[in-house]
Amino acid sequence: MDIMLICGAFLAGFIAQRCNLPPLVGFLLAGFTLNALGFESNNAISEIADLGVTLLLFTIGLKLDVKVLLSKEIWGGATLHNVASTTFFTLCLFGLQAIGVSFFADMPLSQLAILGFALSFSSTVFAIKALQDNGEINSTYGSMAIGILVMQDIFAVAFLTVSTGKIPEWYAIFLFALPVVRPLFYKVLDKVGHGELLVLCGIFFALVIGAGLFELVGVKGDLGALILGMLLAGHKKASELSKSLFNLKEMFLVCFFLNIGLSEQPTMAGLILALVFMLLLPAKGLLYYVILDRFKFRVRTSLLTSLTLFNYSEFGLIVGGLAYKEGWISGDIMVSIALAVSISFVLAAPLNRFSNSIYRHSASWLREHSDSKIHIRDQAINIGQSQILVLGMGRIGTGAYDELSERHGDICLGIEIRTDTSEHHARRQRNILCGDVTDSDFWEKVQDLEQIKLILLAIPNNKGNRYALEQLRLRGYTGKIAAIAEYQDQVDQFIELGADAAFNIYSEAGSGFARHVCDTLSPQFTTSARSKM
């Protein structure tokens, strides 16, 4: 049976990918199809799915800036949306009850509010996958979406704790001592190296110290994994640790999406109610947009954040499962929540894939704030008198920046999306600006782009570099463009898209290493007979 589940998931995921949809859409449909054929979920799939969610939250924590969560647009926006959307859904359900819909006939207002609360959440798993697929997880709107989702996760954990009457053990107070032992965690990361032991170390931190320790004291383990990831986010290996866990996390999450379809048997009544929930979903997305717009973010940031969060959440299933267990909702309503979550994923997948196109077609009739009123995190940037732009100031971008500065003087400008990385470079006297080069508005607001003679695309992900290249070509940039790539087919794609040069970072690293050795050591060799020929 497990072989059939694997085959079904692979086939459906492959078909979805060939249809330009995220594979997770295929996994969901595979789950429902296999369920209809008589297959059921099992403990192994459920446990692997839980591991995937735990690792996902741990890796989110590794990339999360705590200062982002403390900003008013994150905690304030998440709180306002949760209250507004819960109220909206509750009133709609109360209206359905008033007109005689049998599903809600005997439900008191408090239970309708719990169902409305369950529908107010957006999916952390789906949003992170969509942002990763678009190469925009570190963009302004990506960090906004993740911050709001983390706050929603905290709301959900608090609700589950109160609803079940499960109060954390008194010794849970010792969890506040974790920051004190963080230096010890850092020393462990320093000593584990860069291979398989680093992967095992990440699993140990996420599942044992994070999830395991928090479960031991009566707090939800997923929250523990998230918090521990945040504690480790400041370590120099945090990014490497996240990347090392990427493939393992992705494999486990296949079971998560497959398990949604396998866990519930669709019914006609449940499907009809799920479609009713889907009719209410646009209002949820509109609330996100209105609230973010009130914080003076640009139209693109507000719109793309709203599209990222335009879905129902797996936490809705968890809250619904608790309500079903307590007898607050019927089995058909529980099935309808599962179906609504799945359908919303299928609907949201193409919306997120083509989100930038949707923005370009809608920007003309959406009102933009004046430059002086734009939120400080979303303001346009000035490139000054620079002649070389380095997009992405990671290790490769930094190395290129330093080499070009040494050769040509102070004519380079580095563009980096992460605030902490930008501050790091600024302290080292590099000419750096914090900005989102995957933002089409960024390029529209750049003044005197024609003075730039060379642009290096050194963003650590291929999709980000491709999008930046497309934006430059759309705006008629005529200077030289060079890009980095991990694979030869990506090199070919950049050349086809109009880049003047593209370099395979692995092959170029070898030749660069050889040049460095020769320049530094100046070895003397005996000329061979072959070289004389």
Side-chain angles (χ1 to χ4, degrees):
M1 181 178 292
D2 290 342
I3 296 297
M4 289 297 298
L5 296 179
I6 294 172
C7 292
F10 171 76
L11 181 61
F14 180 77
I15 293 174
Q17 184 185 60
R18 301 309 300 169
C19 294
N20 291 323
L21 292 172
L24 66 88
V25 174
F27 303 148
L28 284 167
L29 296 177
F32 283 112
T33 301
L34 291 168
N35 191 323
L37 295 175
F39 291 90
E40 296 180 353
S41 181
N42 54 49
N43 290 334
I45 292 177
S46 297
E47 290 177 4
I48 294 175
D50 291 341
L51 290 176
V53 173
T54 301
L55 287 178
L56 173 69
L57 291 174
F58 177 69
T59 55
I60 292 172
L62 288 173
K63 299 178 180 179
L64 196 62
D65 185 353
V66 178
K67 292 183 292 185
V68 173
L69 285 183
L70 297 178
S71 60
K72 62 181 180 181
E73 59 268 18
I74 295 296
W75 65 262
T79 303
L80 285 173
H81 185 271
N82 186 262
V83 172
S85 58
T86 298
T87 301
F88 170 77
F89 285 121
T90 302
L91 291 175
C92 290
L93 296 173
F94 182 75
L96 292 174
Q97 184 186 63
I99 63 176
V101 176
S102 59
F103 287 111
F104 313 111
D106 299 322
M107 294 179 63
L109 184 61
S110 60
Q111 294 178 11
L112 293 175
I114 290 174
L115 182 55
F117 181 70
L119 296 174
S120 70
F121 293 103
S122 297
S123 172
T124 301
V125 178
F126 180 89
I128 299 298
K129 283 287 296 174
L131 290 169
Q132 287 176 338
D133 289 342
N134 289 336
E136 295 186 332
I137 197 165
N138 290 322
S139 65
T140 302
Y141 86 88
S143 62
M144 283 292 300
I146 292 173
I148 291 173
L149 288 166
V150 170
M151 291 302 302
Q152 288 185 355
D153 291 348
I154 294 173
F155 297 157
V157 170
F159 170 80
L160 293 172
T161 300
V162 173
S163 297
T164 57
K166 183 181 179 182
I167 301 175
E169 304 292 344
W170 66 267
Y171 41 83
I173 193 172
F174 290 109
L175 293 176
F176 290 101
L178 281 175
V180 178
V181 298
R182 178 165 54 180
L184 177 60
F185 297 157
Y186 277 23
K187 288 183 179 180
V188 173
L189 280 176
D190 288 334
K191 300 294 184 182
V192 296
H194 305 278
E196 64 276 8
L197 194 57
L198 179 64
V199 178
L200 188 59
C201 180
I203 295 173
F204 172 77
F205 278 130
L207 303 184
V208 179
I209 298 181
L213 183 61
F214 274 64
E215 289 282 0
L216 186 64
V217 299
V219 181
K220 190 168 175 55
D222 291 344
L223 180 63
L226 175 67
I227 290 175
L228 198 71
M230 293 168 62
L231 286 175
L232 300 177
H235 193 274
K236 60 185 179 182
K237 282 187 178 178
S239 178
E240 181 184 354
L241 179 58
S242 177
K243 292 177 182 177
S244 68
L245 293 172
F246 179 81
N247 288 331
L248 187 63
K249 174 198 68 180
E250 295 290 285
M251 180 62 68
F252 287 171
L253 286 176
V254 171
C255 290
F256 172 83
F257 292 108
L258 190 63
N259 195 48
I260 292 177
L262 288 171
S263 298
E264 297 293 336
Q265 179 66 48
T267 63
M268 184 55 65
L271 178 60
I272 293 173
L273 186 56
L275 294 176
V276 172
F277 290 156
M278 291 304 300
L279 292 176
L280 300 177
L281 183 59
K284 178 179 176 178
L286 180 61
L287 284 173
Y288 277 122
Y289 180 84
V290 170
I291 290 171
L292 291 172
D293 185 67
R294 299 299 293 176
F295 283 105
K296 308 300 183 184
F297 282 98
R298 278 181 291 160
V299 165
R300 179 183 185 271
T301 300
S302 300
L303 180 61
L304 268 61
T305 303
S306 301
L307 290 176
T308 302
L309 302 174
F310 187 78
N311 51 62
Y312 290 118
S313 172
E314 60 278 0
F315 266 116
L317 291 175
I318 296 173
V319 173
L322 172 65
Y324 175 69
K325 182 179 179 181
E326 298 292 332
W328 299 336
I329 63 175
S330 66
D332 282 338
I333 294 179
M334 181 60 201
V335 169
S336 69
I337 296 175
L339 289 171
V341 170
S342 303
I343 297 171
S344 72
F345 286 0
V346 175
L347 176 63
L351 291 178
N352 279 270
R353 184 176 182 84
F354 302 109
S355 57
N356 284 293
S357 297
I358 294 172
Y359 162 70
R360 286 193 293 269
H361 286 89
S362 60
S364 59
W365 52 270
L366 290 172
R367 184 179 61 84
E368 185 67 272
H369 297 286
S370 63
D371 290 343
S372 61
K373 295 182 179 180
I374 291 290
H375 192 282
I376 189 171
R377 289 180 58 191
D378 217 13
Q379 290 180 352
I381 64 173
N382 182 6
I383 63 173
Q385 300 301 314
S386 303
Q387 298 180 51
I388 299 175
L389 288 185
V390 181
L391 309 185
M393 289 292 286
R395 286 175 293 182
I396 296 175
T398 301
Y401 177 100
D402 291 342
E403 177 68 20
L404 290 168
S405 295
E406 184 176 343
R407 288 173 179 260
H408 303 290
D410 189 21
I411 62 172
C412 295
L413 173 63
I415 309 294
E416 172 58 42
I417 194 169
R418 291 178 64 95
T419 305
D420 54 347
T421 304
S422 299
E423 293 172 351
H424 168 81
H425 289 301
R427 289 193 296 268
R428 283 156 178 77
Q429 306 304 312
R430 295 188 180 101
N431 187 19
I432 189 79
L433 286 174
C434 188
D436 179 7
V437 299
T438 66
D439 185 345
S440 56
D441 281 349
F442 173 91
W443 297 109
E444 291 175 359
K445 295 178 182 297
V446 170
Q447 301 296 319
D448 302 322
L449 186 61
E450 63 274 7
Q451 77 185 37
I452 299 297
K453 304 298 190 296
L454 173 64
I455 295 180
L456 303 185
L457 306 180
I459 304 170
N461 65 79
N462 185 60
K463 288 187 176 181
N465 285 323
R466 287 186 59 183
Y467 186 77
L469 175 58
E470 291 169 358
Q471 292 299 314
L472 287 167
R473 290 312 185 201
L474 283 173
R475 283 154 184 79
Y477 176 71
T478 57
K480 301 295 184 182
I481 301 176
I484 62 171
E486 294 181 87
Y487 307 103
Q488 185 57 44
D489 63 322
Q490 293 175 351
V491 171
D492 299 336
Q493 288 172 2
F494 279 121
I495 299 301
E496 291 175 3
L497 289 172
D500 298 285
F503 302 90
N504 186 309
I505 57 176
Y506 297 117
S507 62
E508 291 297 321
S511 60
F513 176 52
R515 286 194 300 270
H516 178 71
V517 169
C518 293
D519 293 342
T520 304
L521 303 181
S522 300
Q524 301 298 317
F525 302 107
T526 301
T527 303
S528 67
R530 183 177 179 180
S531 64
K532 293 178 181 179
M533 295 177 61

